[in-house]
Short mmCIF file of all heavy atoms in Angstrom, two decimals:
data_model
loop_
_atom_site.label_atom_id
_atom_site.label_comp_id
_atom_site.label_asym_id
_atom_site.label_seq_id
_atom_site.Cartn_x
_atom_site.Cartn_y
_atom_site.Cartn_z
N TYR A 652 -14.42 -2.31 -4.06
CA TYR A 652 -15.51 -3.18 -4.50
C TYR A 652 -15.26 -3.63 -5.91
O TYR A 652 -14.80 -2.83 -6.81
CB TYR A 652 -16.87 -2.48 -4.48
CG TYR A 652 -18.03 -3.29 -4.87
CD1 TYR A 652 -18.67 -4.19 -3.94
CD2 TYR A 652 -18.44 -3.37 -6.20
CE1 TYR A 652 -19.60 -5.09 -4.40
CE2 TYR A 652 -19.31 -4.33 -6.66
CZ TYR A 652 -20.04 -5.17 -5.72
OH TYR A 652 -21.04 -5.97 -6.01
N PRO A 653 -15.20 -5.01 -6.05
CA PRO A 653 -15.62 -6.09 -5.22
C PRO A 653 -14.54 -6.88 -4.64
O PRO A 653 -14.79 -7.93 -4.14
CB PRO A 653 -16.49 -6.90 -6.26
CG PRO A 653 -15.67 -6.83 -7.46
CD PRO A 653 -15.00 -5.45 -7.49
N ASN A 654 -13.30 -6.19 -4.56
CA ASN A 654 -12.11 -7.07 -4.29
C ASN A 654 -11.76 -7.13 -2.84
O ASN A 654 -10.92 -7.85 -2.43
CB ASN A 654 -10.93 -6.58 -5.08
CG ASN A 654 -11.17 -6.49 -6.62
OD1 ASN A 654 -11.32 -7.46 -7.20
ND2 ASN A 654 -11.36 -5.28 -7.07
N ALA A 655 -12.50 -6.36 -1.95
CA ALA A 655 -11.92 -6.24 -0.56
C ALA A 655 -12.25 -7.55 0.17
O ALA A 655 -13.22 -8.31 -0.08
CB ALA A 655 -12.69 -5.08 0.11
N THR A 656 -11.35 -7.92 0.93
CA THR A 656 -11.35 -8.99 1.86
C THR A 656 -10.74 -8.70 3.27
O THR A 656 -10.38 -7.45 3.38
CB THR A 656 -10.73 -10.27 1.32
OG1 THR A 656 -10.92 -11.46 2.16
CG2 THR A 656 -9.14 -10.11 1.19
N ASN A 657 -10.69 -9.52 4.16
CA ASN A 657 -9.99 -9.22 5.45
C ASN A 657 -9.31 -10.43 5.90
O ASN A 657 -9.53 -11.58 5.71
CB ASN A 657 -11.03 -8.70 6.42
CG ASN A 657 -12.03 -9.75 6.86
OD1 ASN A 657 -11.62 -10.63 7.69
ND2 ASN A 657 -13.19 -9.72 6.30
N ILE A 658 -8.22 -10.09 6.68
CA ILE A 658 -7.26 -11.05 7.21
C ILE A 658 -7.90 -12.11 8.20
O ILE A 658 -7.74 -13.29 8.25
CB ILE A 658 -5.99 -10.45 7.92
CG1 ILE A 658 -4.96 -11.54 8.06
CG2 ILE A 658 -6.51 -9.68 9.10
CD1 ILE A 658 -4.32 -11.94 6.85
N ASP A 659 -8.99 -11.64 8.93
CA ASP A 659 -9.60 -12.38 9.90
C ASP A 659 -10.42 -13.64 9.17
O ASP A 659 -10.52 -14.65 9.62
CB ASP A 659 -10.57 -11.55 10.62
CG ASP A 659 -9.87 -10.63 11.66
OD1 ASP A 659 -8.80 -10.92 12.06
OD2 ASP A 659 -10.41 -9.63 12.02
N ALA A 660 -11.00 -13.29 7.94
CA ALA A 660 -11.64 -14.27 7.18
C ALA A 660 -10.78 -15.24 6.76
O ALA A 660 -11.08 -16.40 6.81
CB ALA A 660 -12.49 -13.57 6.07
N LEU A 661 -9.62 -14.97 6.40
CA LEU A 661 -8.51 -15.84 5.87
C LEU A 661 -8.10 -16.83 7.04
O LEU A 661 -8.04 -18.05 6.93
CB LEU A 661 -7.37 -15.11 5.28
CG LEU A 661 -7.75 -14.46 3.95
CD1 LEU A 661 -6.59 -13.56 3.58
CD2 LEU A 661 -7.94 -15.41 2.77
N LYS A 662 -7.83 -16.14 8.22
CA LYS A 662 -7.47 -16.79 9.32
C LYS A 662 -8.50 -17.86 9.82
O LYS A 662 -8.14 -19.00 10.29
CB LYS A 662 -6.99 -15.95 10.53
CG LYS A 662 -5.71 -15.19 10.21
CD LYS A 662 -5.32 -14.18 11.34
CE LYS A 662 -4.05 -13.45 11.15
NZ LYS A 662 -3.67 -12.60 12.22
N LYS A 663 -9.74 -17.43 9.68
CA LYS A 663 -10.78 -18.35 10.19
C LYS A 663 -10.89 -19.60 9.35
O LYS A 663 -11.14 -20.70 9.86
CB LYS A 663 -12.20 -17.49 10.11
CG LYS A 663 -13.42 -18.32 10.56
CD LYS A 663 -14.60 -17.48 10.53
CE LYS A 663 -15.86 -18.18 11.06
NZ LYS A 663 -17.06 -17.50 10.94
N PHE A 664 -10.71 -19.37 8.07
CA PHE A 664 -10.63 -20.51 7.19
C PHE A 664 -9.57 -21.46 7.56
O PHE A 664 -9.83 -22.80 7.75
CB PHE A 664 -10.44 -20.19 5.78
CG PHE A 664 -10.03 -21.30 4.82
CD1 PHE A 664 -11.07 -22.21 4.37
CD2 PHE A 664 -8.73 -21.42 4.24
CE1 PHE A 664 -10.65 -23.32 3.57
CE2 PHE A 664 -8.43 -22.43 3.40
CZ PHE A 664 -9.34 -23.30 3.00
N VAL A 665 -8.35 -21.01 7.90
CA VAL A 665 -7.23 -21.82 8.30
C VAL A 665 -7.53 -22.55 9.67
O VAL A 665 -7.26 -23.75 9.82
CB VAL A 665 -6.02 -21.07 8.37
CG1 VAL A 665 -4.79 -21.84 9.04
CG2 VAL A 665 -5.55 -20.58 7.00
N GLU A 666 -8.19 -21.84 10.54
CA GLU A 666 -8.35 -22.34 11.92
C GLU A 666 -9.71 -23.31 11.92
O GLU A 666 -9.61 -24.34 12.56
CB GLU A 666 -8.81 -21.21 12.86
CG GLU A 666 -7.60 -20.27 13.11
CD GLU A 666 -8.07 -19.06 13.84
OE1 GLU A 666 -9.19 -18.79 14.04
OE2 GLU A 666 -7.16 -18.13 14.17
N GLN A 667 -10.58 -23.10 11.08
CA GLN A 667 -11.69 -23.88 10.92
C GLN A 667 -11.35 -25.30 10.23
O GLN A 667 -12.01 -26.36 10.62
CB GLN A 667 -12.79 -23.30 10.14
CG GLN A 667 -14.24 -23.93 10.30
CD GLN A 667 -15.25 -23.07 9.72
OE1 GLN A 667 -15.16 -21.95 9.35
NE2 GLN A 667 -16.55 -23.64 9.75
N TYR A 668 -10.49 -25.28 9.33
CA TYR A 668 -10.12 -26.46 8.61
C TYR A 668 -8.57 -26.64 8.62
O TYR A 668 -7.86 -26.63 7.59
CB TYR A 668 -10.50 -26.40 7.05
CG TYR A 668 -12.04 -26.18 7.01
CD1 TYR A 668 -12.36 -24.69 6.56
CD2 TYR A 668 -13.07 -27.07 7.15
CE1 TYR A 668 -13.77 -24.41 6.45
CE2 TYR A 668 -14.44 -26.64 6.92
CZ TYR A 668 -14.70 -25.47 6.61
OH TYR A 668 -16.07 -25.13 6.52
N PRO A 669 -8.09 -27.06 9.82
CA PRO A 669 -6.53 -27.09 9.96
C PRO A 669 -6.06 -28.20 9.24
O PRO A 669 -4.70 -28.19 8.78
CB PRO A 669 -6.40 -27.23 11.47
CG PRO A 669 -7.62 -27.79 11.86
CD PRO A 669 -8.67 -27.22 11.02
N ASP A 670 -6.72 -29.34 8.91
CA ASP A 670 -6.16 -30.41 8.36
C ASP A 670 -6.29 -30.46 6.82
O ASP A 670 -5.86 -31.32 6.07
CB ASP A 670 -6.86 -31.71 8.86
CG ASP A 670 -6.64 -31.90 10.39
OD1 ASP A 670 -5.56 -31.58 10.74
OD2 ASP A 670 -7.57 -32.36 11.04
N LEU A 671 -6.97 -29.47 6.27
CA LEU A 671 -7.03 -29.38 4.72
C LEU A 671 -5.66 -29.08 4.20
O LEU A 671 -4.93 -28.20 4.55
CB LEU A 671 -8.06 -28.30 4.32
CG LEU A 671 -9.55 -28.51 4.41
CD1 LEU A 671 -10.34 -27.43 3.84
CD2 LEU A 671 -10.00 -29.84 3.73
N HIS A 672 -5.48 -29.76 2.97
CA HIS A 672 -4.35 -29.42 2.16
C HIS A 672 -4.23 -27.96 1.79
O HIS A 672 -3.19 -27.31 2.02
CB HIS A 672 -4.36 -30.22 0.91
CG HIS A 672 -3.31 -29.83 -0.14
ND1 HIS A 672 -2.10 -30.23 -0.17
CD2 HIS A 672 -3.54 -29.04 -1.20
CE1 HIS A 672 -1.43 -29.63 -1.10
NE2 HIS A 672 -2.32 -28.95 -1.91
N TYR A 673 -5.46 -27.35 1.42
CA TYR A 673 -5.39 -26.00 0.90
C TYR A 673 -5.45 -25.02 1.99
O TYR A 673 -4.97 -23.82 1.81
CB TYR A 673 -6.66 -25.87 0.01
CG TYR A 673 -6.56 -26.62 -1.22
CD1 TYR A 673 -7.33 -27.83 -1.44
CD2 TYR A 673 -5.76 -26.20 -2.31
CE1 TYR A 673 -7.02 -28.52 -2.57
CE2 TYR A 673 -5.55 -26.92 -3.40
CZ TYR A 673 -6.31 -28.04 -3.63
OH TYR A 673 -6.17 -28.85 -4.79
N SER A 674 -5.87 -25.43 3.27
CA SER A 674 -5.68 -24.50 4.35
C SER A 674 -4.15 -24.27 4.79
O SER A 674 -3.73 -23.07 5.16
CB SER A 674 -6.43 -24.77 5.65
OG SER A 674 -5.80 -26.02 6.21
N LYS A 675 -3.29 -25.28 4.56
CA LYS A 675 -1.88 -25.01 4.75
C LYS A 675 -1.35 -24.16 3.77
O LYS A 675 -0.47 -23.34 4.14
CB LYS A 675 -1.25 -26.52 4.74
CG LYS A 675 -1.65 -27.35 5.91
CD LYS A 675 -1.06 -28.85 5.68
CE LYS A 675 -1.31 -29.76 6.93
NZ LYS A 675 -2.88 -30.13 6.96
N VAL A 676 -1.78 -24.27 2.53
CA VAL A 676 -1.38 -23.31 1.52
C VAL A 676 -1.80 -22.03 1.85
O VAL A 676 -0.94 -20.95 1.65
CB VAL A 676 -1.99 -23.73 0.10
CG1 VAL A 676 -1.51 -22.76 -0.96
CG2 VAL A 676 -1.32 -25.11 -0.36
N ALA A 677 -2.93 -21.78 2.27
CA ALA A 677 -3.46 -20.40 2.56
C ALA A 677 -2.69 -19.88 3.80
O ALA A 677 -2.43 -18.67 3.80
CB ALA A 677 -4.99 -20.52 2.93
N ASN A 678 -2.35 -20.69 4.77
CA ASN A 678 -1.62 -20.22 5.91
C ASN A 678 -0.23 -19.74 5.49
O ASN A 678 0.32 -18.74 5.97
CB ASN A 678 -1.50 -21.29 7.00
CG ASN A 678 -0.90 -20.86 8.21
OD1 ASN A 678 -1.52 -19.83 8.76
ND2 ASN A 678 0.24 -21.39 8.59
N ASP A 679 0.43 -20.43 4.56
CA ASP A 679 1.70 -20.04 3.87
C ASP A 679 1.53 -18.55 3.36
O ASP A 679 2.50 -17.78 3.55
CB ASP A 679 2.25 -21.00 2.94
CG ASP A 679 3.50 -20.72 2.35
OD1 ASP A 679 4.16 -19.67 2.78
OD2 ASP A 679 4.12 -21.58 1.70
N ILE A 680 0.47 -18.39 2.70
CA ILE A 680 0.29 -17.04 2.03
C ILE A 680 -0.03 -15.88 3.08
O ILE A 680 0.62 -14.77 3.00
CB ILE A 680 -0.93 -17.08 1.10
CG1 ILE A 680 -0.45 -17.90 -0.26
CG2 ILE A 680 -1.27 -15.79 0.53
CD1 ILE A 680 -1.57 -18.52 -0.94
N ILE A 681 -0.82 -16.24 4.09
CA ILE A 681 -1.01 -15.27 5.19
C ILE A 681 0.26 -14.87 5.87
O ILE A 681 0.49 -13.79 6.26
CB ILE A 681 -1.97 -15.99 6.20
CG1 ILE A 681 -3.35 -16.12 5.70
CG2 ILE A 681 -2.02 -15.14 7.44
CD1 ILE A 681 -4.29 -16.95 6.62
N GLU A 682 1.21 -15.77 6.11
CA GLU A 682 2.42 -15.54 6.84
C GLU A 682 3.47 -14.72 5.95
O GLU A 682 4.43 -14.09 6.48
CB GLU A 682 3.07 -16.85 7.23
CG GLU A 682 2.22 -17.50 8.27
CD GLU A 682 2.90 -18.73 8.81
OE1 GLU A 682 3.81 -19.32 8.05
OE2 GLU A 682 2.38 -19.40 9.89
N SER A 683 3.30 -14.75 4.62
CA SER A 683 4.20 -13.89 3.72
C SER A 683 3.40 -13.45 2.47
O SER A 683 3.64 -13.70 1.38
CB SER A 683 5.36 -14.86 3.22
OG SER A 683 4.83 -16.00 2.55
N MET A 684 2.53 -12.44 2.88
CA MET A 684 1.55 -11.94 1.92
C MET A 684 2.20 -10.82 1.09
O MET A 684 3.05 -10.03 1.42
CB MET A 684 0.33 -11.39 2.53
CG MET A 684 -0.89 -11.08 1.60
SD MET A 684 -2.31 -10.64 2.59
CE MET A 684 -2.75 -12.22 3.39
N SER A 685 1.80 -10.86 -0.36
CA SER A 685 2.16 -10.00 -1.24
C SER A 685 1.76 -8.48 -0.89
O SER A 685 0.77 -8.39 -0.15
CB SER A 685 1.61 -10.13 -2.74
OG SER A 685 2.28 -11.42 -3.15
N GLU A 686 2.46 -7.42 -1.18
CA GLU A 686 2.17 -6.14 -0.75
C GLU A 686 2.34 -5.13 -1.93
O GLU A 686 3.20 -5.16 -2.78
CB GLU A 686 3.05 -5.68 0.34
CG GLU A 686 3.16 -6.48 1.61
CD GLU A 686 4.21 -6.16 2.61
OE1 GLU A 686 4.97 -5.20 2.21
OE2 GLU A 686 4.27 -6.74 3.71
N MET A 687 1.25 -4.15 -1.87
CA MET A 687 1.45 -2.92 -2.84
C MET A 687 1.40 -1.78 -1.87
O MET A 687 0.92 -1.77 -0.79
CB MET A 687 0.21 -2.83 -3.65
CG MET A 687 0.06 -4.06 -4.67
SD MET A 687 -1.55 -3.94 -5.54
CE MET A 687 -1.14 -2.53 -6.59
N GLU A 688 2.09 -0.55 -2.26
CA GLU A 688 2.08 0.46 -1.45
C GLU A 688 2.13 1.90 -2.18
O GLU A 688 2.69 1.99 -3.23
CB GLU A 688 3.47 0.52 -0.61
CG GLU A 688 3.65 1.46 0.47
CD GLU A 688 4.80 1.29 1.39
OE1 GLU A 688 5.56 0.31 1.20
OE2 GLU A 688 5.12 2.27 2.20
N SER A 689 1.39 2.72 -1.59
CA SER A 689 1.28 4.09 -2.34
C SER A 689 1.83 5.14 -1.30
O SER A 689 1.68 4.99 -0.02
CB SER A 689 -0.19 4.44 -2.68
OG SER A 689 -1.05 4.53 -1.47
N VAL A 690 2.42 6.23 -1.82
CA VAL A 690 2.74 7.30 -0.95
C VAL A 690 2.37 8.57 -1.63
O VAL A 690 2.55 8.79 -2.80
CB VAL A 690 4.39 7.36 -0.89
CG1 VAL A 690 4.79 8.63 0.01
CG2 VAL A 690 4.92 6.08 -0.07
N GLU A 691 1.60 9.39 -0.84
CA GLU A 691 1.02 10.54 -1.48
C GLU A 691 0.26 10.31 -2.83
O GLU A 691 0.27 10.88 -3.83
CB GLU A 691 1.92 11.69 -1.75
CG GLU A 691 2.72 12.16 -0.52
CD GLU A 691 3.68 13.27 -0.74
OE1 GLU A 691 4.07 13.57 -2.04
OE2 GLU A 691 4.39 13.78 0.14
N ARG A 692 -0.59 9.19 -2.74
CA ARG A 692 -1.50 8.81 -3.84
C ARG A 692 -0.72 8.36 -5.02
O ARG A 692 -1.38 8.28 -6.07
CB ARG A 692 -2.50 9.72 -4.20
CG ARG A 692 -3.37 10.10 -2.92
CD ARG A 692 -4.58 11.13 -3.31
NE ARG A 692 -5.42 11.34 -2.18
CZ ARG A 692 -6.48 12.22 -2.26
NH1 ARG A 692 -6.79 12.77 -3.40
NH2 ARG A 692 -7.24 12.44 -1.14
N GLN A 693 0.59 8.02 -4.95
CA GLN A 693 1.36 7.59 -6.16
C GLN A 693 1.86 6.11 -5.71
O GLN A 693 2.39 5.90 -4.65
CB GLN A 693 2.50 8.56 -6.26
CG GLN A 693 2.28 9.87 -6.65
CD GLN A 693 1.40 10.04 -8.03
OE1 GLN A 693 1.85 9.33 -8.91
NE2 GLN A 693 0.55 10.87 -8.06
N TRP A 694 1.58 5.23 -6.62
CA TRP A 694 1.97 3.87 -6.40
C TRP A 694 3.52 3.81 -6.58
O TRP A 694 4.07 4.14 -7.46
CB TRP A 694 1.29 2.86 -7.34
CG TRP A 694 -0.18 2.73 -7.16
CD1 TRP A 694 -1.14 3.24 -7.86
CD2 TRP A 694 -0.75 2.09 -6.05
NE1 TRP A 694 -2.36 2.94 -7.44
CE2 TRP A 694 -2.20 2.25 -6.29
CE3 TRP A 694 -0.33 1.48 -5.05
CZ2 TRP A 694 -3.14 1.74 -5.29
CZ3 TRP A 694 -1.21 0.99 -3.99
CH2 TRP A 694 -2.59 1.15 -4.25
N LYS A 695 4.07 3.09 -5.58
CA LYS A 695 5.41 2.78 -5.73
C LYS A 695 5.67 1.63 -6.70
O LYS A 695 4.83 0.83 -6.99
CB LYS A 695 5.96 2.18 -4.28
CG LYS A 695 6.31 3.21 -3.23
CD LYS A 695 6.85 2.53 -1.95
CE LYS A 695 7.18 3.64 -0.93
NZ LYS A 695 7.93 2.85 0.17
N ASP A 696 6.87 1.56 -7.29
CA ASP A 696 7.17 0.44 -8.28
C ASP A 696 7.10 -0.95 -7.46
O ASP A 696 7.16 -1.03 -6.33
CB ASP A 696 8.58 0.47 -8.77
CG ASP A 696 8.82 1.69 -9.81
OD1 ASP A 696 7.72 2.38 -10.06
OD2 ASP A 696 9.91 1.85 -10.24
N LEU A 697 6.62 -1.98 -8.24
CA LEU A 697 6.47 -3.27 -7.77
C LEU A 697 7.58 -4.23 -8.21
O LEU A 697 8.08 -4.08 -9.37
CB LEU A 697 5.11 -3.83 -8.02
CG LEU A 697 3.80 -3.46 -7.27
CD1 LEU A 697 2.64 -4.01 -7.80
CD2 LEU A 697 4.10 -3.84 -5.80
N TYR A 698 8.01 -5.08 -7.35
CA TYR A 698 8.93 -6.11 -7.78
C TYR A 698 8.30 -7.45 -7.66
O TYR A 698 7.96 -7.99 -6.66
CB TYR A 698 10.20 -6.03 -6.80
CG TYR A 698 10.82 -4.71 -6.88
CD1 TYR A 698 10.42 -3.72 -5.96
CD2 TYR A 698 11.84 -4.48 -7.78
CE1 TYR A 698 11.11 -2.39 -6.04
CE2 TYR A 698 12.51 -3.25 -7.90
CZ TYR A 698 12.19 -2.17 -7.03
OH TYR A 698 12.68 -1.03 -7.13
#
C-alpha cells in the first residue's frame, strides 16, 4: 500500500483502448516489464 497494481488491470487498459498511442507504449512495458527479486528476504542487486 499504496503501490500495488495487477497485470490484469494493465492488460484491460490495452485491450479497451487498442488504438491509443499510450496503450501501445503500455503494451511494450507489459511484454518486457522491469523486475526486482528477493531471496530469503534479502534483495538481490539491481541492474
Side-chain angles (χ1 to χ4, degrees):
Y652 183 85
N654 304 294
T656 187
N657 65 76
I658 194 68
D659 291 333
L661 294 168
K662 288 180 177 178
K663 184 178 180 181
F664 167 70
V665 173
E666 292 168 0
Q667 193 168 358
Y668 306 103
D670 298 325
L671 281 187
H672 167 84
Y673 294 101
S674 70
K675 294 179 175 64
V676 174
N678 189 59
D679 186 350
I680 291 165
I681 290 171
E682 291 181 347
S683 58
M684 194 173 291
S685 294
E686 298 175 355
M687 302 174 68
E688 188 173 350
S689 66
V690 177
E691 296 181 356
R692 298 185 180 181
Q693 299 293 321
W694 291 109
K695 286 186 176 182
D696 286 1
L697 278 178
Y698 299 91

